[in-house]
Amino acid sequence: MIYNIPYIAVVALILIGLYAVIFKRNLIKIVIGITLIESGVNLFLITLAYRQDSIAPIYHGEISRLMSLPVPHALTLTSIVIGVAVLALMLSLVIHIYRHYGTLDARKIGREEE
Amino acid sequence: MNLETIITHSPALIVAVPLLGAFLTPLVGKINDKLRNVFVILTVGLTTFFVFLLANDIFSSGNIRTYVFGGGTPITDGGFAIRILFEVDGLNAFMAIIASILALACVIYSWAFMKENTGLDKYYTLILLMVAGMFGMILTGDMFNFFVFLEITSISSCVLIAFWTNKGKAVDAGFKYIVISATGALFILFAIAILYSQYNALNMAFLANSIQYTFLDKIALVLLIAGLAMKAGIVPMHMWLPDAYGRAPSSVTLILVGATQVSLYGVLRMTFTLYGSQLTIPLKQIGDTSITMNGLLGITLIALALITILVGVLMALKQTDFKRLIAFAAVGEIGYIVLAIGAGLTAMGTSYGNMAFRGGIFHIINDALDVGLLFLVAGAIYYATKQTSLNQMGGLSRNMKYTTVFFLIGLLAVAGMPPMNGFASKLLIYQSTYQVNPIIAIVAILCSILLLAVFVKVFHSAFLGPKLPKFKDVKDVPKSMLLAMGIIACFIIFFGLFPEFVVNNLVKPAADAIINNTNYITTVIGGAVP
């Protein structure tokens, strides 16, 4: 059971994030929702990398113990970097939207006649 | 430096050239604007040259080419070496041709169309980044690499959709797009993590070889299809598409059409290559009938596709904005491709199942060209008259002769009328879906006729009628825009007049790659790769 807690956290994070993206009207909350989904996926990748009794794949003298394979770590780092880019882009779009409409309510945006 | 060397390295060059060009563009733009435009067109032209060279080699020899980044020794015992592998078979080469035609037309069109805008250095940088991302998605044989290129494509295309930031609706469309594509991409990453957790590999061929079809694999398949369908704009995840297509500059829309098709390619690659060997296994036995995976998946896709076609066509009927109308028609056209894929899945292994795959794949290129041409025409009208609403237009055929001809070509092609290319692929789809269930074919044909009605209405209200006084000074668009439309129109007519040639030489190798994934797997697993 104790080993399953990270996986439960992953599913909970992703579901909360999806709930925010689908049901929330405030654009900032939608952005937060996407960030939550991303954290969930990253946590999942990190959890996969864990092996019992293994050490982090960094050489520091003690080489008798097993090292865990660093591929998921590399994937997570890449994913975090991409996530930051997407987050910055979304927030800058939100700023632009706020300048145009003076509101962040999704129901009041993009409804004007041209 | 002979031809063989160039072909060997072209999978890497196709991605590297636009990527390098993207970051050189602002530097070249410091010197001169014209020089920058020429530089961008040359970069895309060079990429197109490599694509055609590679595709010619793949189609004529039937080989699969691989390109290895990284060493070949596995870290774990009996595992697979951790490295990135590009793998190009018929399907990849086919998609690369589509992407290169659209990219070339886009940069030529942009020369005149975007002339009056500021910030063009950034615009061209993003266009080239998007092209690089698209080619990366197409050529890669590695799951995580696919995700990275997917994100490159969606980030750059989101900024391009919101390029006219002075319009609130454009920014809104960009935001919608990034929400959908970020969520979809995270679904895909989650599915990749699930697959990695079971097989300790990210290479598509290796995964396809070792896939066991466990419960987790089924979840991964659903996540992959859902994530890619979001990006492809299949109903019910289509609501971003009319906004994004309608609000982006027309040249960007053209390349967005390509990005959507590449997402569809992702669906094909994931479903048929990754899960190909497991698709026909029975899931459950009820009485005499056994429910198989391909039947279940196929019927789901057919149902989704029919809804997509109906929604797209019916919504197109009531639009008054030119570009939004075409965007809804594009939704419907994507439905046809998914319909063919679904029909092929249900009838996997039969001759008409193969025919459905051919029709679907042929329709990918036809849809990209037809819808792309219509968007370019809409952009040309916007350029000349600054109008987007159909109610404000009229009598344009008197001032814009060439544009009218191109619109007629696009109209006939989208509605699937002979002798244009849309007819050839739609006929294949009708024939094969009729074998699956006649009702599907009837709905598809009726929707195609409705599509014709929609565009005849557009033709009437925008181009025919008396000359309006406010359009007295309207002239036909500059040469670069006509050239871009001409390139696409030439391909449409060529594909329409010689469908047999195209189906045998381009579509059949691509469809064979879908139907049989053994070649794709053995190229990597069999030790042919160093």
Side-chain angles (χ1 to χ4, degrees):
Chain A
M1 181 60 203
I2 192 86
Y3 292 109
N4 285 332
I5 286 177
Y7 296 108
I8 295 168
V10 165
V11 173
L13 275 173
I14 291 177
L15 288 182
I16 295 169
L18 269 181
Y19 170 80
V21 171
I22 296 169
F23 292 106
K24 287 294 167 190
R25 301 285 183 190
N26 190 312
L27 298 188
I28 295 282
K29 286 181 184 166
I30 294 176
V31 173
I32 292 174
I34 289 177
T35 326
L36 277 176
I37 302 177
E38 195 205 315
S39 316
V41 176
N42 286 342
L43 181 63
F44 183 54
L45 277 166
I46 285 294
T47 317
L48 294 179
Y50 174 76
R51 291 284 178 277
Q52 209 167 2
D53 292 334
S54 68
I55 54 169
I58 305 164
Y59 285 103
H60 48 75
E62 189 192 12
I63 47 166
S64 55
R65 290 171 66 190
L66 277 177
M67 288 178 178
S68 57
L69 189 64
V71 175
H73 306 156
L75 303 189
T76 316
L77 277 179
T78 319
S79 154
I80 288 172
V81 172
I82 292 173
V84 168
V86 172
L87 179 63
L89 184 60
M90 282 193 293
L91 288 177
S92 68
L93 284 174
V94 169
I95 293 171
H96 270 290
I97 288 176
Y98 190 77
R99 276 190 197 146
H100 277 287
Y101 297 102
T103 175
L104 287 178
D105 190 339
R107 280 168 296 189
K108 292 174 187 157
I109 288 165
R111 303 257 183 248
E112 84 276 14
E113 291 292 314
E114 277 177 53
Chain B
M1 197 67 179
N2 54 4
L3 205 61
E4 176 58 29
T5 326
I6 298 177
I7 295 175
T8 315
H9 291 285
S10 54
L13 286 172
I14 289 169
V15 181
V17 169
L19 200 59
L20 188 66
F23 295 109
L24 282 179
T25 308
L27 291 178
V28 181
K30 287 260 183 255
I31 306 169
N32 190 322
D33 277 1
K34 266 214 177 97
L35 188 68
R36 177 201 58 209
N37 291 359
V38 173
F39 171 76
V40 172
I41 290 177
L42 280 182
T43 312
V44 177
L46 187 65
T47 318
T48 313
F49 170 71
F50 288 133
V51 167
F52 276 83
L53 214 58
L54 181 67
N56 179 38
D57 178 71
I58 303 269
F59 286 136
S60 57
S61 68
N63 291 335
I64 295 178
R65 283 196 175 261
T66 52
Y67 196 87
V68 184
F69 300 88
T73 1
I75 303 174
T76 48
D77 294 330
F80 192 73
I82 307 289
R83 57 183 169 175
I84 290 172
L85 211 65
F86 276 18
E87 191 166 2
V88 190
D89 68 355
L91 187 59
N92 301 74
F94 181 78
M95 293 306 299
I97 288 178
I98 300 177
S100 61
I101 294 172
L102 292 181
L104 195 61
C106 165
V107 287
I108 295 174
Y109 191 84
S110 304
W111 185 310
F113 184 71
M114 301 298 287
K115 207 174 186 176
E116 289 152 20
N117 292 272
T118 52
L120 282 185
D121 288 349
K122 292 161 206 144
Y123 170 84
Y124 279 114
T125 307
L126 287 165
I127 288 265
L128 285 179
L129 262 182
M130 197 172 160
V131 171
M134 262 159 64
F135 280 125
M137 272 169 85
I138 291 167
L139 297 178
T140 188
D142 186 273
M143 294 293 278
F144 191 73
N145 207 224
F146 182 84
F147 165 76
V148 171
F149 280 121
L150 184 94
E151 284 283 22
I152 293 177
T153 318
S154 59
I155 289 173
S156 47
S157 52
C158 161
V159 183
L160 284 171
I161 289 168
F163 188 73
W164 285 334
T165 40
N166 56 336
K167 291 178 188 162
K169 280 190 172 179
V171 184
D172 179 40
F175 186 76
K176 261 185 194 163
Y177 179 78
I178 194 73
V179 167
I180 289 288
S181 69
T183 317
L186 287 171
F187 276 18
I188 294 166
L189 182 62
F190 193 43
I192 292 170
I194 291 175
L195 289 174
Y196 178 81
S197 70
Q198 298 185 81
Y199 305 110
N200 276 324
L202 292 165
N203 185 279
M204 289 182 194
F206 185 84
L207 282 174
N209 190 42
S210 50
I211 208 143
Q212 298 294 322
Y213 214 65
T214 57
F215 178 66
L216 281 174
D217 287 342
K218 286 176 200 165
I219 294 180
L221 178 63
V222 170
L223 284 174
L224 280 174
I225 292 185
L228 287 165
M230 279 188 196
K231 296 212 38 133
I234 298 167
V235 174
M237 282 87 86
H238 71 292
M239 81 294 180
W240 64 270
L241 200 144
D243 284 337
Y245 280 18
R247 301 295 159 199
S250 276
S251 46
V252 173
T253 314
L254 179 70
I255 221 163
L256 266 180
V257 173
T260 319
Q261 313 288 24
V262 173
S263 305
L264 272 178
Y265 153 80
V267 175
L268 291 173
R269 181 58 85 204
M270 299 307 165
T271 320
F272 292 99
T273 304
L274 224 53
Y275 290 84
S277 44
Q278 305 285 334
L279 277 176
T280 43
I281 54 163
L283 290 178
K284 211 173 207 172
Q285 192 80 26
I286 301 170
D288 290 338
T289 48
S290 65
I291 299 172
T292 54
M293 187 61 208
N294 61 336
L296 202 64
L297 204 60
I299 288 169
T300 320
L301 283 182
I302 287 177
L304 277 179
L306 284 180
I307 300 171
T308 310
I309 295 174
L310 279 172
V311 168
V313 173
L314 293 179
M315 288 296 285
L317 266 175
K318 65 179 274 272
Q319 299 301 319
T320 52
D321 185 283
F322 198 175
K323 282 187 76 184
R324 265 183 91 81
L325 186 146
I326 305 170
F328 273 110
V331 173
E333 290 287 298
I334 288 167
Y336 279 96
I337 303 169
V338 181
L339 179 68
I341 297 168
L345 257 175
T346 30
M348 219 169 163
T350 57
S351 64
Y352 60 90
N354 295 352
M355 196 209 283
F357 283 132
R358 270 176 222 165
I361 289 180
F362 194 13
H363 203 67
I364 291 182
I365 194 165
N366 291 345
D367 170 41
L369 294 174
D370 305 348
V371 175
L373 181 63
L374 285 175
F375 276 120
L376 291 191
V377 170
I381 290 176
Y382 176 75
Y383 180 87
T385 65
K386 300 286 172 229
Q387 296 289 347
T388 56
S389 171
L390 285 170
N391 299 335
Q392 307 288 326
M393 297 176 192
L396 286 174
S397 65
R398 288 157 212 278
N399 302 62
M400 306 171 74
K401 292 190 185 62
Y402 294 108
T403 312
T404 314
V405 173
F406 289 133
F407 182 75
L408 262 180
I409 293 173
L411 179 161
L412 293 175
V414 157
M417 301 297 271
M420 299 305 169
N421 59 356
F423 172 72
S425 56
K426 275 190 179 168
L427 190 67
L428 282 173
I429 296 176
Y430 299 151
Q431 276 182 332
S432 51
T433 47
Y434 188 83
Q435 305 268 345
V436 176
N437 195 331
I439 298 169
I440 304 172
I442 290 168
V443 174
I445 293 174
L446 279 179
C447 285
S448 194
I449 295 169
L450 270 178
L451 211 55
L452 181 67
V454 171
F455 281 107
V456 167
K457 185 192 89 179
V458 175
F459 184 62
H460 179 77
S461 61
F463 290 97
L464 301 183
K467 203 171 187 172
L468 294 184
K470 62 178 169 181
F471 294 144
K472 201 172 58 193
D473 302 325
V474 167
K475 283 199 280 294
D476 215 336
V477 289
K479 283 197 189 65
S480 89
M481 288 162 81
L482 289 178
L483 177 65
M485 289 191 270
I487 292 175
I488 296 186
C490 282
F491 274 108
I492 288 179
I493 292 174
F494 175 75
F495 285 0
L497 291 180
F498 307 101
E500 195 84 331
F501 171 81
V502 180
V503 168
N504 286 337
N505 290 306
L506 298 180
V507 177
K508 196 170 167 293
D512 287 346
I514 285 185
I515 294 158
N516 190 349
N517 66 351
T518 15
N519 281 343
Y520 193 87
I521 296 172
T522 47
T523 312
V524 171
I525 303 297
V529 180

